[in-house]
Amino acid sequence: MKKIVLVPALLSFLVICAQEKKNVVIPNENLITENIAEIPKELANQVKKYSETRGASLAEIHPTKNEIIISTRFGSTPQFHRVSKPMGARTQITFFDEPVSGASYEPLKGDYLVYSKDIGGNEFGQLYKLDLKTLQSTLLTDGGRSQNGGVTWRKDGKGFYYSSTKRNGGDRDIYYMDPNNPKSDKLILQVKGGGWGISDVSNDGKKLLIGEYVSANESHIWLLDTESGKLSEVTDRKSKGIIQSGASFSDATDEIWFVTDKDNEFERLATMNLNTKKVNYYTSKIPWNVENYNLSEDKKSIVFITNEAGLNKMYLMNALDKSYLAVKNIPIGLIGGANFTKDKQALFFTQSTAQSASDVYKLTLKTGVIQRWTESELGEMQTSDMSVPKFIEWKSFDNLKISGFYYPAAAKFTGKRPVVINIHGGPEGQSMASFLGSNNYYTNEMGVAIIFPNVRGSSGFGKTFIAKDNGFLREDSVKDIGALLDWIAQQPELDKDRIMIMGGSYGGYMTLATAFHYADRIKCSVDIVGISNFNTFLKNTEEYRRDLRRVEYGDERIPEMAAFFDKMAPLNNIEKIKKPMFIIQGTNDPRVPVTEATQMRDKLKAQGNTVWYLEAKDEGHGFKKKSNVDFQRLAVIRYMQEYLIK
């Protein structure tokens, strides 16, 4: 065996290379990177002040104890923690590499939890039973390529109903299971379509309210007799373009509560008599959507949340006389997950503001006192480091008023500031006045302003607005971004020549479309899990969601629509894209398959464009694991340094 001798010059070179590598951030083994510039460790150290924030959200309330389960992240992913008193210790009870969700207590004693977990972001959520004494989990569902969720317990705690795509991967059927005997699992309702789910179960367990989601503009309510298996219409299935959802059994015989935008621009809280079909509306004076609601155990009180121009308000209603009042002393911000305790004396909810991450609070109903139960750490960030959003409006090409939230760069920066336009997904999503979190690094350290637009098709602004991008109107929403570019050019503090477009999912499509429609008006773009061609997207997206997406985007099986998709596809307009692009994707994405990213990357590279590429082998529709999220953030900042700031 020959002895290898390193000459001093070569040895010195290798030492220098090793030292240089120590000074750069190395992506972990699950990340695929192409053409990404080296990221100095010094940058990671600077960003760390902003990247260690965490939030807590309400997952479940114990049925008999003054105790809750929250979801928060201390390691790589959000896990469940038990909290037994206000500001008490967050005791972790799940310990997985994958995020967990959908916690549901056994409803009588709360001896165990049922929850959901997938693998690598593939969204094939499986149900598990968690023994709260041993913290051991037992798989309840098939463990395959199926989605399982919507756990709805019988009132006697003997078992629960849930929805699953396991029969054929496309239709979301309804099943019943005793979790103490998983072999008891049985199909009770076979349906066609992926939009079905359970809304409520009657006290005697003999009736189920079932929701059928058709699109962001249409949903229906059904009633299932669990003994006979008979499924009957509650709302008229022939009625089109109406939302009728969130059904719950009322305290009154043969009456349900639900939300609907029937005969109104916004979704109202209403009741319906199941025999006469007579509907009464109770929130008509609030010209905004009732986003969600919950009934107390005795069905005599209701808490409901409204979405009012991108901010939430909470109301309490007397379910008997239908009077309601807004809950006072809640900071202006976002509210979610409001649920009553089983003893009807209080409710827990999740709340955040533009300067605080989400945390859990308790409202005692008799006194109106609000008590904080969790306080999530914000790392080293201070209130003075955070940008506060401003509501802005502009008119689009057809004079339609479009709005969004503008987060200014810190006042310490002078001169015209670069701008990031960050477009939400959905397309029926909505950008709200939320906490920027780590994105405060852009505004406070880089001097970059951020605008989150709500283009046509966004939810929260009425059913007419949400339908304005459907089918052949798809590119009208892209023109809304063109009008925003005009608005930016008119602002004395913003630099129209330094604009980056960024978005995820449908927002990724919007990013790609803007990149070719307005190539001469932007400097660069970041596409995250975006759609590059609706024809290939609809062909390859998971079967359970394909028909639901066709209702929104159009049916590619119709020749005229397929031709329209080909004409508007960013993939087919590569020659018009002139500026650098960063493409980010999860390998296991079931919604927007990885092929949407790779085909865009490959065509851009073939044309000679500057393309950065980042793919995570253990992620799906967006990154969730902290090490991946951290690297993505650093890579985007490095990209902005190269192509936006200069």
Side-chain angles (χ1 to χ4, degrees):
M1 186 174 181
K2 289 185 178 181
K3 186 177 181 180
I4 298 174
V5 179
L6 293 175
V7 297
L10 178 58
L11 184 60
S12 298
F13 174 76
L14 293 174
V15 169
I16 291 170
C17 289
Q19 288 174 341
E20 287 178 348
K21 284 298 180 185
K22 287 180 182 178
N23 294 322
V24 299
V25 176
I26 306 298
N28 68 56
E29 66 277 6
N30 289 307
L31 295 178
I32 300 168
T33 63
E34 293 182 22
N35 204 36
I36 296 175
E38 285 192 342
I39 302 169
K41 281 194 174 177
E42 179 56 33
L43 176 61
N45 293 335
Q46 294 169 7
V47 174
K48 195 172 180 64
K49 172 181 176 179
Y50 298 85
S51 64
E52 299 308 306
T53 64
R54 70 175 118 251
S57 59
L58 178 67
E60 179 65 303
I61 304 170
H62 197 281
T64 63
K65 301 176 183 177
N66 186 35
E67 182 176 289
I68 59 173
I69 300 295
I70 65 167
S71 175
T72 191
R73 180 199 56 76
F74 275 83
S76 175
T77 59
Q79 298 294 311
F80 294 135
H81 297 70
R82 181 192 293 114
V83 182
S84 300
K85 62 181 180 180
M87 305 302 290
R90 292 163 285 187
T91 305
Q92 192 165 341
I93 59 173
T94 58
F95 303 85
F96 301 108
D97 293 331
E98 305 292 348
V100 293
S101 62
S104 181
Y105 270 119
E106 176 278 314
L108 297 184
K109 296 180 180 179
D111 288 338
Y112 60 88
L113 283 175
V114 174
Y115 68 92
S116 175
K117 180 172 67 70
D118 71 1
I119 297 173
N122 64 11
E123 297 187 18
F124 293 119
Q126 301 297 318
L127 297 180
Y128 296 81
K129 176 186 173 184
L130 175 66
D131 186 312
L132 292 171
K133 292 180 180 178
T134 66
L135 300 186
Q136 295 301 301
S137 292
T138 303
L139 177 66
L140 298 177
T141 43
D142 65 357
R145 291 180 62 82
S146 63
Q147 279 195 337
N148 306 271
V151 170
T152 305
W153 289 88
R154 285 173 53 109
K155 306 302 182 187
D156 59 13
K158 291 182 178 179
F160 61 78
Y161 299 93
Y162 71 101
S163 59
S164 177
T165 61
K166 62 185 174 183
R167 177 170 57 87
N168 60 14
D171 299 320
R172 200 176 300 276
D173 302 322
I174 307 300
Y175 293 78
Y176 174 78
M177 178 193 293
D178 172 2
N180 293 313
N181 177 22
K183 292 182 179 180
S184 66
D185 188 45
K186 65 178 179 180
L187 174 68
I188 66 163
L189 177 65
Q190 184 173 309
V191 295
K192 178 65 177 174
W196 296 80
I198 307 154
S199 293
D200 198 12
V201 58
S202 62
N203 286 338
D204 60 9
K206 294 181 179 180
K207 295 177 181 177
L208 278 183
L209 286 168
I210 307 288
E212 181 195 7
Y213 175 90
V214 177
S215 73
N217 286 89
E218 184 178 334
S219 51
H220 302 280
I221 300 169
W222 300 77
L223 186 68
L224 176 68
D225 185 311
T226 59
E227 294 181 336
S228 68
K230 181 184 178 183
L231 184 68
S232 54
E233 292 182 19
V234 172
T235 55
D236 182 4
R237 185 59 176 78
K238 295 177 183 178
S239 61
K240 302 297 180 184
I242 299 172
I243 292 173
Q244 299 164 109
S245 64
S248 300
F249 287 104
S250 164
D251 190 39
T253 305
D254 296 320
E255 182 184 76
I256 64 167
W257 287 92
F258 68 117
V259 292
T260 180
D261 62 6
K262 186 176 182 180
D263 301 324
N264 200 52
E265 192 63 36
F266 293 93
E267 295 170 44
R268 295 179 285 181
L269 190 57
T271 56
M272 176 192 289
N273 184 293
L274 294 176
N275 296 320
T276 66
K277 303 295 184 181
K278 178 176 173 56
V279 175
N280 290 308
Y281 306 102
Y282 302 108
T283 57
S284 300
K285 292 181 180 179
I286 303 174
W288 299 100
N289 281 343
V290 172
E291 220 167 50
N292 56 68
Y293 76 95
N294 274 292
L295 281 161
S296 60
E297 188 75 9
D298 60 4
K299 301 183 184 295
K300 293 180 180 179
S301 299
I302 293 178
V303 56
F304 66 90
I305 310 295
T306 58
N307 177 349
E308 306 188 12
L311 293 167
N312 291 134
K313 288 187 179 179
M314 187 189 325
Y315 296 81
L316 285 172
M317 173 183 277
N318 182 319
L320 302 180
D321 65 16
K322 312 304 189 290
S323 61
Y324 60 87
L325 290 171
V327 176
K328 298 179 180 179
N329 302 319
I330 299 179
I332 294 172
L334 307 185
I335 305 168
N339 283 288
F340 290 95
T341 55
K342 207 159 188 178
D343 63 10
K344 310 171 289 293
Q345 301 302 304
L347 61 85
F348 284 92
F349 62 96
T350 304
Q351 203 262 345
S352 67
T353 73
Q355 293 184 305
S356 63
S358 61
D359 273 304
V360 181
Y361 297 79
K362 180 181 181 181
L363 168 64
T364 301
L365 298 174
K366 189 174 183 179
T367 64
V369 172
I370 296 175
Q371 197 173 32
R372 187 170 193 158
W373 269 58
T374 67
E375 186 170 6
S376 296
E377 296 81 0
L378 300 181
E380 300 170 20
M381 250 200 306
Q382 304 300 308
T383 301
S384 58
D385 299 323
M386 303 176 196
S387 183
V388 177
K390 298 178 180 179
F391 181 79
I392 60 171
E393 291 181 315
W394 63 94
K395 285 188 177 180
S396 194
F397 69 98
D398 56 357
N399 282 324
L400 182 68
K401 191 176 288 185
I402 309 296
S403 66
F405 288 99
Y406 163 38
Y407 292 77
K412 62 188 176 185
F413 293 97
T414 58
K416 290 179 176 288
R417 306 317 311 158
V419 184
V420 169
I421 298 175
N422 195 321
I423 309 170
H424 67 70
E428 61 276 5
Q430 181 185 2
S431 290
M432 303 180 73
S434 58
F435 175 58
L436 269 188
S438 61
N439 287 342
N440 279 295
Y441 183 85
Y442 302 155
T443 56
N444 199 50
E445 302 293 341
M446 301 178 75
V448 176
I450 309 175
I451 296 175
F452 293 86
N454 283 310
V455 297
R456 68 190 67 205
S458 302
S459 60
F461 302 95
K463 63 184 179 184
T464 301
F465 191 85
I466 203 173
K468 279 187 173 293
D469 66 340
N470 288 358
F472 291 102
L473 302 176
R474 181 61 47 205
E475 289 188 305
D476 286 357
S477 59
V478 183
K479 295 177 184 176
D480 294 340
I481 299 299
L484 175 56
L485 297 176
D486 295 337
W487 182 89
I488 290 171
Q490 296 167 5
Q491 308 312 307
E493 77 278 18
L494 300 180
D495 189 345
K496 68 178 179 61
D497 296 319
R498 289 190 293 170
I499 297 174
M500 183 176 94
I501 308 295
M502 184 177 186
S505 191
Y506 177 77
Y509 155 71
M510 290 287 290
T511 296
L512 297 172
T514 303
F516 81 81
H517 277 289
Y518 302 103
D520 59 335
R521 301 184 65 185
I522 66 170
K523 282 207 75 175
C524 55
S525 53
V526 179
D527 158 41
I528 304 170
V529 297
I531 300 165
S532 57
N533 185 330
F534 282 98
N535 279 322
T536 55
F537 158 74
L538 288 167
K539 176 184 177 182
N540 296 318
T541 193
E542 283 293 333
E543 185 178 354
Y544 59 80
R545 60 193 314 278
R546 188 172 295 128
D547 284 341
L548 299 175
R549 295 294 82 197
R550 282 170 173 153
V551 176
E552 168 64 40
Y553 295 129
D555 193 333
E556 83 289 359
R557 296 169 297 184
I558 300 170
E560 294 82 3
M561 184 57 69
F564 175 69
F565 284 158
D566 272 339
K567 182 180 179 182
M568 63 173 272
L571 186 68
N572 296 335
N573 288 276
I574 292 286
E575 74 284 354
K576 298 175 185 175
I577 297 175
K578 306 298 183 184
K579 305 296 172 60
M581 182 173 290
F582 190 175
I583 297 175
I584 301 170
Q585 180 71 40
T587 305
N588 306 317
D589 193 340
R591 306 188 197 189
V592 180
V594 65
T595 47
E596 290 298 302
T598 54
Q599 65 189 9
M600 192 74 192
R601 175 201 63 192
D602 293 346
K603 285 193 76 171
L604 284 167
K605 285 169 62 178
Q607 185 177 271
N609 286 59
T610 298
V611 188
W612 290 25
Y613 185 74
L614 173 62
E615 182 182 326
K617 294 183 284 186
D618 58 343
E619 299 279 14
H621 198 61
F623 293 4
K624 294 182 179 179
K625 296 181 172 69
K626 190 173 189 303
S627 63
N628 297 336
V629 172
D630 285 347
F631 187 86
Q632 175 185 326
R633 181 187 303 110
L634 291 171
V636 169
I637 291 170
R638 189 72 186 84
Y639 177 81
M640 291 167 65
Q641 289 175 340
E642 287 290 316
Y643 302 111
L644 177 65
I645 304 299
K646 289 181 178 179

